[in-house]
Amino acid sequence: MFTVKPDCSSKAGIAVRRSQAAFSGSGKSRRSRLRVPELRVNGKGSVRAVISSGDKTLEAESPLESKGESNGSLGSLRGGGIEVRAVVTVRKKMKETLTEKMEDQWEFFVNGFGQGIIIRLISEEIDPVTNSGKSVESSVRGWLTRPLTSSHIVEYAANFTVPSDFGCPGAILITNLHSKEFYLLEIVIHGFDEGPIFFPASTWIHSRKDNPESRIIFKNQASLPSQTPPGIKDLRHEDLLSIRGNGKGERKPHDRIYDYDVYNDLGNPDKDEDLARPVLVGEERPYPRRCRTGRPPTKSDPFSESRIEKPHPVYVPRDETFEEIKQNTFSAGRMKAMLHNLIPSIAATMSSSDIPFKCFSDIDKLYNDGFLLKDEEHKDIIENPLVGKIMKQAMSIGQTLLKYETPAIIKRDRFAWLRDNEFARQTLAGLNPVNIEILKEFPILSKLDPAVYGPPESALTKELIEQELNGLSVEEAIEDKKLFILDYHDMLLPFIKKINALPGRKSYASRTIFFYTKTGFLRPIAIELSLPPTPSSLRNKLVYTHGHYATTHWTWKLAKAHVCSNDAGVHQLVNHWLKTHACMEPYIIATHRQLSSMHPIYKLLHPHMRYTLEINALARQSLINGGGIIEASFSPGKYAMELSSAAYKSLWRFDMEALPADLIRRGMAVEDSSMPCGVKLVIEDYPYAADGLLIWSAIQEWVESYVEHFYSQPNSVTSDLELQAWWNEIKNKGHYDKRNEPWWPKLNTKEDLSGILSTMIWIASGQHAAINFGQYPFGGYMPNRPTLMRRLIPQENDPDYEKFIMNPQHTFLSSLPTQLQATKIMAVQDTLSTHSPDEEYLGQVNPLHNHWINDHEVLKLFDRFSARLEEIEEIIHQRNKNNHLKNRSGAGIPPYELLLPTSGPGVTGRGIPNSISI
């Protein structure tokens, strides 16, 4: 392991123009210097390669020989030059086909003639002749491998002679002459007095046949634009220009171009007019922007983009695609296996009898007995070890027994989901703990147009609520912060008529009132279910309470199921997809387009952008698209993304996405300068918020110390042109439909910047983890969180009321998703709840990325952040053992672990990845 030493760096701020001659040199003279190598075998039997450098031919040992030695001859002067070596680390596929292995041998042969890789070192200092960075070029010859601990990671070497006044290299231009790309992990330069100089890459190097431009790799020195060494200033600008593209043409798989487009690729009107979907853009249907692919429009709608259907990939910039381990987990073992293979098998098995569950034991059989998939061709998919433990299987001749893991919510107590206190507990410690808010005023009034949606007053009257308040008046309960509400009325009511016209869908707009008792429990006391008013029925608001006799007991249970269905839809379409996945995408695009990879803020954000564009592209292809899994499995159906757009329009604001701000907005916390994060929780036993504030404070402390380190000078934030362009682009391009909102934070001070960055990192890490990785643990048992309801609650004058009275269990189960719908969504929830083996967690650094920055002070700050997260993990463990915290401990209660920072692979119900990676 090499230790990182400070590199020399020029502080001059001279703007220079790198001449074309200095960049590539004369093609003729460069070819004349590249001599055919002579491969020799020394007395030890090891291969030595002749590597050309400048006008001299040097004999260099392979990295295998020289790795354990000191620089020795490296760094010594030879004819006025310094001998240096570039060690190039490349990652190859872990599982190669025979063809790929043959291609590797061909690459070795080609490299032997110096026609594989060209490396040019660029100095931080100016060459007065060319008025650009001093440079020296070498071609890698032989690509002699050195075996490392991982067989798929190999090192190669190239030697250079650089002038004694060359200065420190600040960038490397690398040209791939091969016919295919390769994955470059890093380049390390040995031989300079400063010690090893690291150039972290973790990037795909395109073939010159795909793109003639060389790739630019900067060393691991973080520099603000004004601090860029003069020899590489033009390269910094040129690299950003290459990433932005020109906004034209269809993107190719090898491109690494980041640009914006609207959500116009969800529908497929060319295939079926019923699959046409509106474009999400403008004042009527605003939405964040996505990554542009440049595909042509559909034939039937010029405003919609033509689709790429599975299994063909949707374009994302090349470095955003899944790495091999993630691809194996996701493609073979998870999403593509489930969506492309498993779900059709389930459909084939059940299509002749897509029926409701007849009794609760039918549901239990999914976990206890499983069911048979008879399609032989899917055996390999089911047997794949990457499928994980959630779906166990046993094999018999010609048949696969599919068996689901028992979800955490019923593992300890099969009947917990039936109880009112568990229904309430999940609003604080469940999958969607971000919608409950304090009841601030009474009577409860709708903000919808009364001319369209009827009188604004709620049917939840003072008299009805006070029956449940143990002698308190409503006013007293509000004053004492004892009343809370889960309010989906205004969000859903505009869509209810359309939803209920869909086959097999029946929904209400709901409000649920909770009372916080003296014993510290949250208890649901009343539910209001509303339908749009019609001329023939003005009584469109129904109120349910937990009755004390059989009929009201069952109607209360059905009312709770409708609330849970609404909660599931809002969770998936608003809190999960919109507020984390979709809103994060513009931040990522802007970061790549406007912040150089040298920029300290780029380096800070880089771990929090991993895989997000790829997972979002896959979601647009198979999950949120017209006719996709979300439409098929959640109540809003084909109106799902319109509902998401409406929530973006009315609810989303960047300044409210920080956890403390969100808690204060919902009345779940009050400002208190004496408390950590400056807030005090109204309900102390609020596991999501209590643990979340620990994670938030750790992120905030890390970000503030990092920002202070790089922006110590007055006006350093406002004078950072890249940073200002980044924030302006996020507001004016990434969230274009909200560009004129007055609540956007300013970016003038270190405090402004720290707040913006803390919010982004929280969204990508803690917030996404809290509302994603519990999907199967909580939703894998469909009665607990039905994703849709198929029947309204029977009323006394309804034809089905007598059937309800005779068999209420049948009415309840037939209101839930069918067996096919349930198993579909369970398979997807399992997929979305899974950690990949290559997951990178908050506070951790991939060992392959140890040289991400060469600043010892920053590394100390990061170590402190990591240590704090370890402390937080132990605090959360202790909280889960605290018998006084009844929302996370007690008989049958699963501990709250969604915000534990670390996890192993699979469905664990814990772990905070750095980024939105699933």
Side-chain angles (χ1 to χ4, degrees):
M1 179 78 60
F2 300 112
T3 57
V4 181
K5 299 178 182 179
D7 299 336
C8 62
S9 59
S10 170
K11 299 299 182 183
I14 306 169
V16 296
R17 180 177 298 276
R18 182 172 53 83
S19 69
Q20 184 63 32
F23 174 72
S24 60
S26 167
K28 184 179 295 185
S29 63
R30 182 173 62 210
R31 284 194 294 274
S32 68
R33 293 198 300 270
L34 299 181
R35 299 173 183 167
V36 177
E38 177 186 356
L39 293 182
R40 304 172 184 169
V41 180
N42 64 18
K44 299 177 182 178
S46 63
V47 181
R48 299 161 68 83
V50 178
I51 302 175
S52 80
S53 178
D55 290 327
K56 298 185 179 180
T57 300
L58 307 173
E59 188 172 74
E61 295 180 349
S62 77
L64 177 59
E65 292 180 337
S66 62
K67 183 68 175 179
E69 302 172 3
S70 64
N71 282 346
S73 62
L74 294 181
S76 63
L77 294 176
R78 180 182 292 188
I82 303 173
E83 301 303 312
V84 299
R85 170 174 292 154
V87 177
V88 181
T89 306
V90 172
R91 189 185 67 210
K92 293 187 171 294
K93 287 186 67 175
M94 290 179 287
K95 294 183 178 180
E96 290 188 312
T97 64
L98 179 60
T99 300
E100 289 167 335
K101 290 177 180 178
M102 294 174 64
E103 288 174 346
D104 283 347
Q105 293 301 312
W106 174 249
E107 285 181 1
F108 175 83
F109 178 76
V110 171
N111 285 323
F113 289 93
Q115 299 300 310
I117 304 290
I118 296 176
I119 297 176
R120 178 177 286 267
L121 299 185
I122 309 296
S123 172
E124 295 178 341
E125 299 180 7
I126 290 288
D127 183 337
V129 176
T130 63
N131 200 32
S132 62
K134 300 174 184 178
S135 67
V136 60
E137 182 178 286
S138 175
S139 60
V140 176
R141 291 178 178 266
W143 251 19
L144 303 178
T145 64
R146 169 188 173 273
L148 298 175
T149 53
S150 298
S151 60
H152 60 286
I153 295 177
V154 293
E155 287 184 349
Y156 309 102
N159 284 11
F160 300 80
T161 298
V162 301
S164 56
D165 63 348
F166 184 78
C168 287
I172 290 175
L173 305 183
I174 184 164
T175 306
N176 176 11
L177 305 181
H178 292 288
S179 61
K180 68 175 186 177
E181 64 187 2
F182 66 87
Y183 192 84
L184 177 66
L185 282 172
E186 71 174 0
I187 300 175
V188 185
I189 306 297
H190 301 275
F192 287 93
D193 291 341
E194 296 77 20
I197 302 173
F198 294 90
F199 292 77
S202 297
T203 185
W204 288 96
I205 304 298
H206 60 258
S207 169
R208 189 170 66 171
K209 74 178 180 64
D210 291 325
N211 183 347
E213 296 297 322
S214 300
R215 281 294 308 278
I216 305 168
I217 309 296
F218 296 104
K219 77 174 184 181
N220 61 346
Q221 174 73 46
S223 301
L224 296 175
S226 61
Q227 300 166 342
T228 310
I232 58 173
K233 188 177 279 281
D234 276 5
L235 287 178
R236 179 172 183 148
H237 180 62
E238 182 176 322
D239 192 45
L240 283 174
L241 290 179
S242 71
I243 287 172
R244 293 172 193 162
N246 60 12
K248 299 177 181 178
E250 184 172 355
R251 298 273 62 88
K252 303 297 188 294
H254 64 264
D255 286 340
R256 53 189 290 265
I257 293 175
Y258 296 77
D259 203 354
Y260 302 96
D261 208 341
V262 299
Y263 275 71
N264 63 350
D265 62 339
L266 302 179
N268 194 351
D270 288 350
K271 181 178 180 180
D272 185 340
E273 64 179 19
D274 198 45
L275 293 177
R277 296 294 180 268
V279 177
L280 302 183
V281 65
E283 185 176 347
E284 183 180 356
R285 295 189 182 94
Y287 218 62
R289 296 301 184 258
R290 62 169 176 92
C291 187
R292 180 183 178 275
T293 68
R295 296 195 303 270
T298 61
K299 296 176 182 177
S300 51
D301 179 6
F303 298 105
S304 293
E305 185 174 273
S306 57
R307 287 182 53 78
I308 296 290
E309 299 294 354
K310 57 195 179 189
H312 303 291
V314 176
Y315 168 80
V316 293
R318 185 64 184 96
D319 289 338
E320 302 297 329
T321 56
F322 289 163
E323 296 179 18
E324 190 175 358
I325 293 176
K326 181 74 170 182
Q327 285 176 340
N328 290 340
T329 304
F330 196 82
S331 301
R334 291 295 176 182
M335 183 65 83
K336 289 182 180 176
M338 302 300 178
L339 303 189
H340 306 169
N341 298 284
L342 178 57
I343 286 177
S345 295
I346 296 173
T349 302
M350 295 184 170
S351 58
S352 61
S353 58
D354 182 16
I355 56 176
F357 294 105
K358 295 180 180 179
C359 58
F360 286 100
S361 60
D362 284 348
I363 303 174
D364 295 338
K365 287 178 182 178
L366 293 175
Y367 319 110
N368 300 329
D369 301 335
F371 59 88
L372 293 175
L373 298 180
K374 299 178 182 179
D375 194 343
E376 180 68 17
E377 70 182 17
H378 301 307
K379 183 183 295 185
D380 291 340
I381 297 297
I382 304 302
E383 286 188 302
N384 191 313
L386 293 170
V387 169
K389 66 179 183 179
I390 288 304
M391 288 191 291
K392 301 174 181 176
Q393 66 282 328
M395 301 302 300
S396 59
I397 298 174
Q399 296 179 326
T400 299
L401 182 65
L402 180 65
K403 195 173 175 182
Y404 287 86
E405 183 78 6
T406 302
I409 190 61
I410 60 167
K411 185 172 286 187
R412 298 185 179 207
D413 183 349
R414 282 185 60 202
F415 304 106
W417 67 276
L418 283 166
R419 293 193 288 269
D420 285 355
N421 61 351
E422 178 61 23
F423 172 77
R425 189 190 74 86
Q426 289 185 32
T427 66
L428 302 172
L431 178 59
N432 189 43
V434 296
N435 277 106
I436 188 169
E437 53 190 317
I438 202 163
L439 185 62
K440 298 175 182 177
E441 55 188 27
F442 201 87
I444 302 166
L445 299 175
S446 169
K447 294 181 174 62
L448 298 175
D449 184 355
V452 178
Y453 299 104
E457 293 81 11
S458 168
L460 295 166
T461 63
K462 176 181 170 70
E463 293 74 21
L464 184 144
I465 292 175
E466 287 181 346
Q467 293 176 18
E468 306 291 337
L469 299 186
N470 298 331
L472 287 176
S473 67
V474 167
E475 293 76 14
E476 289 171 331
I478 290 175
E479 178 69 23
D480 294 344
K481 295 181 168 47
K482 297 291 186 182
L483 286 178
F484 297 83
I485 187 170
L486 196 62
D487 191 349
Y488 297 133
H489 180 277
D490 286 8
M491 186 190 304
L492 296 181
L493 192 59
F495 292 90
I496 294 298
K497 183 177 180 180
K498 294 191 290 187
I499 291 171
N500 288 351
L502 296 173
R505 304 291 166 95
K506 289 292 182 278
S507 292
Y508 301 93
S510 62
R511 290 188 179 107
T512 308
I513 303 293
F514 300 87
F515 177 57
Y516 190 61
T517 67
K518 291 181 181 179
T519 55
F521 279 105
L522 201 62
R523 181 166 61 86
I525 59 175
I527 294 173
E528 178 191 63
L529 301 178
S530 300
L531 296 170
T534 63
S536 60
S537 175
L538 298 178
R539 185 172 175 265
N540 64 315
K541 298 176 182 178
L542 305 170
V543 174
Y544 296 90
T545 59
H546 56 93
H548 300 287
Y549 66 98
T551 302
T552 54
H553 172 81
W554 276 101
T555 55
W556 173 246
K557 195 181 301 184
L558 283 165
K560 288 194 297 180
H562 274 279
V563 172
C564 289
S565 174
N566 289 344
D567 191 70
V570 172
H571 161 263
Q572 197 68 265
L573 296 166
V574 180
N575 299 326
H576 181 210
W577 171 257
L578 167 65
K579 290 191 173 185
T580 63
H581 285 260
C583 286
M584 194 71 198
E585 188 155 346
Y587 312 151
I588 295 170
I589 297 171
T591 299
H592 284 282
R593 285 170 53 88
Q594 297 299 338
L595 299 181
S596 165
S597 59
M598 302 172 64
H599 199 290
I601 302 307
Y602 177 95
K603 290 183 177 295
L604 175 70
L605 289 176
H606 186 260
H608 306 290
M609 304 188 291
R610 186 178 187 232
Y611 292 158
T612 304
L613 296 191
E614 171 84 335
I615 200 69
N616 285 3
L618 287 166
R620 295 198 310 274
Q621 186 179 47
S622 299
L623 288 180
I624 63 170
N625 60 302
I629 295 295
I630 298 300
E631 288 192 0
S633 304
F634 287 82
S635 285
K638 65 188 291 186
Y639 307 107
M641 290 303 290
E642 290 183 59
L643 190 152
S644 188
S645 170
Y648 179 68
K649 180 178 183 178
S650 62
L651 298 175
W652 186 84
R653 348 180 348 168
F654 182 89
D655 61 329
M656 292 291 108
E657 292 304 293
L659 178 59
D662 173 63
L663 293 171
I664 291 171
R665 177 187 65 82
R666 291 190 284 122
M668 301 303 292
V670 294
E671 295 188 52
D672 187 338
S673 59
S674 67
M675 299 293 291
C677 304
V679 297
K680 177 180 173 61
L681 294 177
V682 172
I683 297 177
E684 181 184 353
D685 188 11
Y686 185 179
Y688 157 77
D691 294 358
L693 287 172
L694 291 176
I695 301 297
W696 169 270
S697 65
I699 292 171
Q700 187 178 47
E701 181 182 350
W702 154 237
V703 169
E704 286 176 350
S705 60
Y706 187 94
V707 168
E708 173 64 33
H709 179 72
F710 288 102
Y711 292 91
S712 57
Q713 300 301 315
N715 303 318
S716 54
V717 170
T718 54
S719 62
D720 185 337
L721 299 182
E722 286 184 9
L723 188 71
Q724 294 297 326
W726 168 78
W727 186 233
N728 285 332
E729 185 164 293
I730 286 172
K731 295 183 295 183
N732 296 314
K733 286 190 175 181
H735 286 272
Y736 180 84
D737 297 331
K738 293 247 179 184
R739 66 194 181 281
N740 296 321
E741 296 289 355
W743 40 253
W744 283 104
K746 305 295 183 185
L747 183 52
N748 297 325
T749 66
K750 292 179 293 186
E751 292 74 23
D752 295 340
L753 178 57
S754 296
I756 290 168
L757 294 171
S758 296
T759 298
M760 290 179 179
I761 293 173
W762 161 252
I763 295 297
S765 57
Q767 179 71 353
H768 180 258
I771 59 179
N772 180 74
F773 291 103
Q775 292 198 65
Y776 188 83
F778 284 99
Y781 187 69
M782 195 55 63
N784 182 59
R785 284 183 69 79
T787 55
L788 61 84
M789 295 293 282
R790 300 189 302 122
R791 294 187 177 190
L792 298 177
I793 299 176
Q795 303 300 308
E796 289 189 19
N797 56 346
D798 291 344
D800 288 339
Y801 187 75
E802 190 61 32
K803 293 180 180 179
F804 163 61
I805 295 297
M806 296 299 295
N807 193 345
Q809 176 180 275
H810 178 268
T811 298
F812 182 87
L813 290 172
S814 62
S815 299
L816 302 183
T818 64
Q819 294 188 35
L820 174 58
Q821 289 170 329
T823 48
K824 265 189 182 183
I825 197 61
M826 286 165 66
V828 174
Q829 287 170 334
D830 170 35
T831 301
L832 299 180
S833 302
T834 298
H835 289 295
S836 171
D838 72 338
E839 199 85 88
E840 296 177 4
Y841 295 96
L842 194 64
Q844 298 180 357
V845 174
N846 187 318
L848 297 176
H849 304 156
N850 275 339
H851 305 125
W852 66 282
I853 197 167
N854 67 352
D855 191 314
H856 288 296
E857 183 60 32
V858 169
L859 293 175
K860 288 180 183 177
L861 295 173
F862 185 80
D863 286 344
R864 190 170 72 188
F865 174 51
S866 299
R868 177 55 181 157
L869 288 170
E870 291 178 5
E871 294 172 1
I872 289 171
E873 185 147 332
E874 183 56 34
I875 291 171
I876 293 174
H877 282 308
Q878 293 304 315
R879 286 176 173 177
N880 285 332
K881 297 175 183 176
N882 187 340
N883 292 331
H884 297 292
L885 300 177
K886 301 189 186 303
N887 286 324
R888 61 197 310 157
S889 65
I893 301 295
Y896 188 77
E897 297 182 330
L898 288 169
L899 287 169
L900 283 172
T902 62
S903 174
V907 179
T908 63
R910 57 175 289 172
I912 304 176
N914 273 321
S915 61
I916 300 169
S917 57
I918 190 68

